[in-house]
Amino acid sequence: MEAVSATMKAINFPATSTVPRATVSITVASPWSQTKLNMLTFYAPNPNTRFSSICLPRCSRKPNTDTNNETAQNPTFEPNPSLTTENPSSAVSDEVIPSSSNPPSALSRGLVLDLGPVGSWDCTDIGSPVVKRFLSDEEERWYMWYHGVSTDSQGSDSIGLAVSSNGVHWERGKGAVKSSADVGLVMSCGNDWWAFDTQSIRPGEVVIMSSAKVRASSAVYWLYYTGYSNEKVDISADSLGFKVQNPENQSSQTGEVLRSLPGLAISQDGRHWARIEGEHHSGALFDVGSEGDWDSLFISSPQVVFHGNGDLRMYYHSFDVGNGVFSIGMARSRDGMKWIKLGKIMGGGPKGCFDELGAMNPYVVKNKKDRNYVMAYEGVGADGRRSIGLAMSAEGLKDWRRVEDETVLKLATMEDGWDSKGIGSPCLVEMDGDVDEWRLYYRGIGNSGRCGIEMAVSDGSDITRFRRWKGFQV
């Protein structure tokens, strides 16, 4: 996992009416070593807390950065591969639920995280996996942030965390986390009526960064997420042959489209999150495009990649009404908070292809071997069916090319897996060490509409060929 450091204003967590104020010695949670931060004032949030501002001591609410984010002068970010973070206690709460250790059957092949048990925060729906692998000399640790829906959340998403030692068998929690050793629900929808994320939230990416102003050798987790309000967007897409939804909701057949925008939250341990107010009046990082722009309806699935000093790139999707296709665009930032849009970078594929009606839910990584950019994305076919495609770029800007106009992972058959109704929301992990392969985590939907998070593995280092995971080779 590549970490970066930032030079920015320190961040204060002001007390609110719903969050008790506490001064504690903050330790940054990471998968292995024990490194302590200096004393910080930190108001530990509960999962549904919103902060009107977020600052570490001795700093203003907004970072003091040049307004021209497209330039690389006075860079605010720089790589720091030696950055260490701290390991949470190995003890876990009584609510921890291990994933099934049974060998995958024909119906569950590839499935690594099923729905939670009845009454849990994620018992109705799960998806949007964001998976990170951490390696040290002593151990291997995996974190997965994902969205879930419970039976009593009225269809609203929450964000939770599961952990693993191998990326296959996961420990999850039934309820909200209470400590830095817990797993489970870590973030709920916002409470403020004016906010952009009162209806649903879904994770887009978690980036590990640290602030030089904090004088810490440990990392801080930055969560970029999609926030959905209750504002409905009118869209005429009857000619498409399927219902456009935002957020994607398998249990809903109404084709409801909600306004969504990108948000940011910061955490010291990956579990307790404090929202950062962006420049938009709703607290989002930026707004939809103007009328007639390709992204005028909503902004969804923000995924952020570190490119170089003072150069962070966000990839996101929207529905381009003018062309009638889902499309992917990007924005650029020097500080991770102020963003400048660069426009659309990918739309629909050729007629008859698996992504004829567009691309969505992008996930971009930088290949460690050839330094090229790889994008896994969800392709939408003419009939609305979803599959996962791949595109590549030398610079990660507007020079993206599809890989042979073919899917890298198709819908399953009964003989190949259980996810025969839909697949999407891909997340790529490039394996380090002795294993020369890629892992592809994604959301799968079965015939009954049941959702789960699955894993496929590449054919060695060939990232253009994936097969569903069938168990470890002995």
Side-chain angles (χ1 to χ4, degrees), residues 386-388 406-412 416 419 423 468:
R386 312 300 172 87
S387 11
I388 295 176
E406 295 288 339
T407 63
V408 294
L409 193 68
K410 299 179 181 179
L411 292 177
D416 189 40
D419 53 340
I423 57 176
R468 286 169 175 80

Side-chain angles (χ1 to χ4, degrees), residues 34 55 78 120 124 161 173 186 211 213 257 311 326 330 333 401 412 428-429 433 455 472:
Q34 292 287 331
C55 325
E78 55 188 31
S120 64
T124 301
L161 172 68
V186 300
S211 168
K213 292 293 182 182
V257 179
D311 190 353
F326 288 95
M330 68 178 297
S333 174
R401 57 178 179 82
L428 279 172
V429 177
M455 186 184 80
F472 292 114

Side-chain angles (χ1 to χ4, degrees), residues 60 162 191 225 258 274 321 343 460:
S60 63
N191 288 329
Y225 68 98
L258 300 180
V321 178

Side-chain angles (χ1 to χ4, degrees), residues 309-345:
N309 292 348
D311 190 353
L312 287 171
R313 299 173 180 184
M314 177 189 291
Y315 303 87
Y316 64 93
H317 84 260
S318 186
F319 185 77
D320 184 350
V321 178
N323 293 300
V325 296
F326 288 95
S327 299
I328 295 171
M330 68 178 297
R332 211 167 182 180
S333 174
R334 291 177 53 208
D335 60 14
M337 296 182 183
K338 294 182 178 180
W339 295 86
I340 292 179
K341 294 181 181 180
L342 298 185
K344 184 168 71 173
I345 61 174

Side-chain angles (χ1 to χ4, degrees), residues 362-420:
Y363 196 88
V364 177
V365 295
K366 197 171 186 178
N367 192 321
K368 296 175 183 177
K369 293 182 174 62
D370 60 19
R371 309 306 293 172
N372 287 328
Y373 287 85
V374 180
M375 177 196 292
Y377 65 93
E378 185 176 330
V380 184
D383 56 359
R385 286 182 176 269
R386 312 300 172 87
S387 11
I388 295 176
L390 205 67
M392 296 187 180
S393 168
E395 295 295 330
L397 296 172
K398 293 190 175 184
D399 55 339
W400 292 94
R401 57 178 179 82
R402 288 172 167 83
V403 177
E404 300 176 356
D405 292 324
E406 295 288 339
T407 63
V408 294
L409 193 68
K410 299 179 181 179
L411 292 177
T413 63
M414 290 297 290
E415 294 76 23
D416 189 40
W418 69 277
D419 53 340
S420 57

Side-chain angles (χ1 to χ4, degrees), residues 149-434:
V149 181
S150 68
T151 54
D152 59 356
S153 61
Q154 299 179 343
S156 297
D157 300 310
S158 300
I159 296 175
L161 172 68
V163 298
S164 172
S165 61
N166 57 16
V168 175
H169 303 110
W170 296 87
E171 292 180 344
R172 69 196 316 161
K174 187 174 181 180
V177 301
K178 298 177 181 178
S179 74
S180 292
D182 286 348
V183 289
L185 188 153
V186 300
M187 186 171 166
S188 296
C189 295
N191 288 329
D192 299 308
W193 63 268
W194 46 265
F196 71 100
D197 58 355
T198 57
Q199 189 65 29
S200 285
I201 53 175
R202 294 190 177 185
E205 178 64 302
V206 175
V207 184
I208 296 182
M209 296 184 273
S210 73
S211 168
K213 292 293 182 182
V214 178
R215 300 187 182 93
S217 60
S218 300
V220 177
Y221 299 82
W222 292 44
L223 167 66
Y224 291 92
Y225 68 98
T226 308
Y228 303 83
S229 69
N230 58 10
E231 179 186 355
K232 296 183 180 180
V233 179
D234 293 327
I235 175 174
S236 176
D238 296 335
S239 61
L240 294 179
F242 70 97
K243 296 293 185 180
V244 177
Q245 293 181 320
N246 188 56
E248 295 284 316
N249 186 352
Q250 187 61 29
S251 62
S252 173
Q253 302 299 322
T254 61
E256 187 174 72
V257 179
L258 300 180
R259 182 81 73 193
S260 62
L261 295 172
L264 172 62
I266 288 182
S267 171
Q268 303 282 345
D269 60 5
R271 293 162 171 83
H272 301 91
W273 296 91
R275 289 168 165 89
I276 292 183
E277 278 195 7
E279 295 191 318
H280 191 256
H281 62 79
S282 67
L285 294 176
F286 55 82
D287 199 2
V288 296
S290 303
E291 184 176 355
D293 289 346
W294 76 273
D295 59 354
S296 62
L297 294 184
F298 57 82
I299 305 292
S300 189
S301 304
Q303 194 255 334
V304 174
V305 177
F306 170 79
H307 174 73
N309 292 348
D311 190 353
L312 287 171
R313 299 173 180 184
M314 177 189 291
Y315 303 87
Y316 64 93
H317 84 260
S318 186
F319 185 77
D320 184 350
V321 178
N323 293 300
V325 296
F326 288 95
S327 299
I328 295 171
M330 68 178 297
R332 211 167 182 180
S333 174
R334 291 177 53 208
D335 60 14
M337 296 182 183
K338 294 182 178 180
W339 295 86
I340 292 179
K341 294 181 181 180
L342 298 185
K344 184 168 71 173
I345 61 174
M346 184 180 295
K351 187 174 180 60
C353 283
F354 74 96
D355 57 354
E356 179 180 343
L357 290 186
M360 57 189 296
N361 291 324
Y363 196 88
V364 177
V365 295
K366 197 171 186 178
N367 192 321
K368 296 175 183 177
K369 293 182 174 62
D370 60 19
R371 309 306 293 172
N372 287 328
Y373 287 85
V374 180
M375 177 196 292
Y377 65 93
E378 185 176 330
V380 184
D383 56 359
R385 286 182 176 269
R386 312 300 172 87
S387 11
I388 295 176
L390 205 67
M392 296 187 180
S393 168
E395 295 295 330
L397 296 172
K398 293 190 175 184
D399 55 339
W400 292 94
R401 57 178 179 82
R402 288 172 167 83
V403 177
E404 300 176 356
D405 292 324
E406 295 288 339
T407 63
V408 294
L409 193 68
K410 299 179 181 179
L411 292 177
T413 63
M414 290 297 290
E415 294 76 23
D416 189 40
W418 69 277
D419 53 340
S420 57
K421 192 171 182 180
I423 57 176
S425 299
C427 176
L428 279 172
V429 177
E430 184 177 9
M431 300 293 286
D432 293 319
D434 298 333

